[in-house]
Amino acid sequence: AMEAALAGGADYVGLVFFPPSPRNVSPTVAAALAAKARGRAGIVALLVDPDDAMIDTVIAAADPDLLQLHGHETPDDAAAIRPYVQALVVALAAGDPAMGHVDAYGADALLVDAPVPGSGNVFDWALVESVPVGRRMILAGGLTPENVAAAVAEVRPWGVDTSTGVQVAGDPLRKDPLKVRDSFERRVRPHRRAQATMGASAIPMVT
C-alpha cells in the first residue's frame, strides 16, 4: 500500500494505529514504512482516542509530520497533545456541530469524513459549509478516481484524503497505484494548479 501511494503521487501517506482496523500497523512496521516514505512524502499518523503511552510510542516509531485524531477527542484532549507533535489534524464527521467551532481544538487542519469513517461512503459535500472560512480543511469520505475532481471543484479543500476508494477491489490492505495516480495526477493536481491563486491547494493524502 505504501509503495502504491508513493508511486501514485500522494503528497502525504498515512499510518493507521488502531487495532480494530485491518490497516493497523505495529510500531515496528510503522518505523520501517516511515523510513521508506521519508523524503518522498509527508507522514501522517492516525490515532483513535489515544492515551499518552500510545502517542509517545507513535512519535518515537514514526516521527510523523502530522498526527491525526480520528476518535472522540475533545478540544481539551487536542490541546494537551498539540505541543508534542509537529502538526495536528482533527477529524470530525460531516454534520457534527463541532465543525463550526473547530478553532477550539487548536488544530492545524480539520478533516471532514463520512459519518462512518472507512465506510467508503460519500456524504453531502454541502455539509462542509459550516466550517469557518479560511480554515484548512481536508475532505475525506468515499473519494474515488471518478468523483475526486468534482469534490475538489465544489468544495475547494486544502487537502483530500482517500483510502477505500483507491484500494484493490476486495483487499483493504492493498492500494491500486493506477487508481492513486488517476485520482491525483489526472484529477486533483490540475485543479490544484487552477486554484492556486484562489488559496485552495487540494493536497493529496492516502491513508
Side-chain angles (χ1 to χ4, degrees):
M2 175 69 71
E3 195 57 47
L6 294 170
D11 286 346
Y12 284 85
V13 292
L15 302 173
V16 177
F17 297 89
F18 184 51
S21 170
R23 302 186 183 101
N24 180 64
V25 295
S26 69
T28 301
V29 171
L33 292 174
K36 178 182 293 187
R38 202 170 308 282
R40 302 170 65 188
I43 298 164
V44 181
L46 186 155
L47 298 94
V48 178
D49 301 317
D51 57 20
D52 291 347
M54 172 60 79
I55 294 170
D56 290 343
T57 296
V58 168
I59 292 175
D63 188 21
D65 300 290
L66 300 174
L67 193 146
Q68 179 179 321
L69 299 178
H70 217 304
H72 300 89
E73 295 85 4
T74 66
D76 286 344
D77 294 331
I81 293 170
R82 180 63 187 87
Y84 300 99
V85 298
Q86 296 185 48
L88 183 67
V89 176
V90 171
L92 295 173
D96 189 326
M99 288 170 53
H101 308 284
V102 65
D103 289 346
Y105 288 85
D108 299 278
L110 166 69
L111 184 143
V112 182
D113 203 348
V116 180
S119 65
N121 294 329
V122 179
F123 63 87
D124 181 357
W125 296 328
L127 291 173
V128 305
E129 293 178 0
S130 62
V131 177
V133 174
R135 305 305 183 271
R136 288 179 171 177
M137 192 268 291
I138 301 166
L139 183 68
L143 297 179
T144 68
E146 290 73 32
N147 66 17
V148 69
V152 171
E154 179 174 334
V155 179
R156 294 177 56 195
W158 178 72
V160 292
D161 184 358
T162 184
S163 185
T164 305
V166 293
Q167 72 186 27
V168 173
D171 189 348
L173 300 182
R174 295 174 59 203
K175 297 293 190 290
D176 185 328
L178 296 180
K179 289 183 180 179
V180 177
R181 185 176 296 112
D182 190 31
S183 293
F184 295 155
E185 295 295 340
R186 292 181 52 203
R187 302 176 189 272
V188 172
R189 293 189 193 279
H191 281 277
R192 180 165 64 175
R193 288 191 293 269
Q195 294 178 352
T197 59
M198 296 185 290
S201 53
I203 293 173
M205 301 170 62
V206 173
T207 54

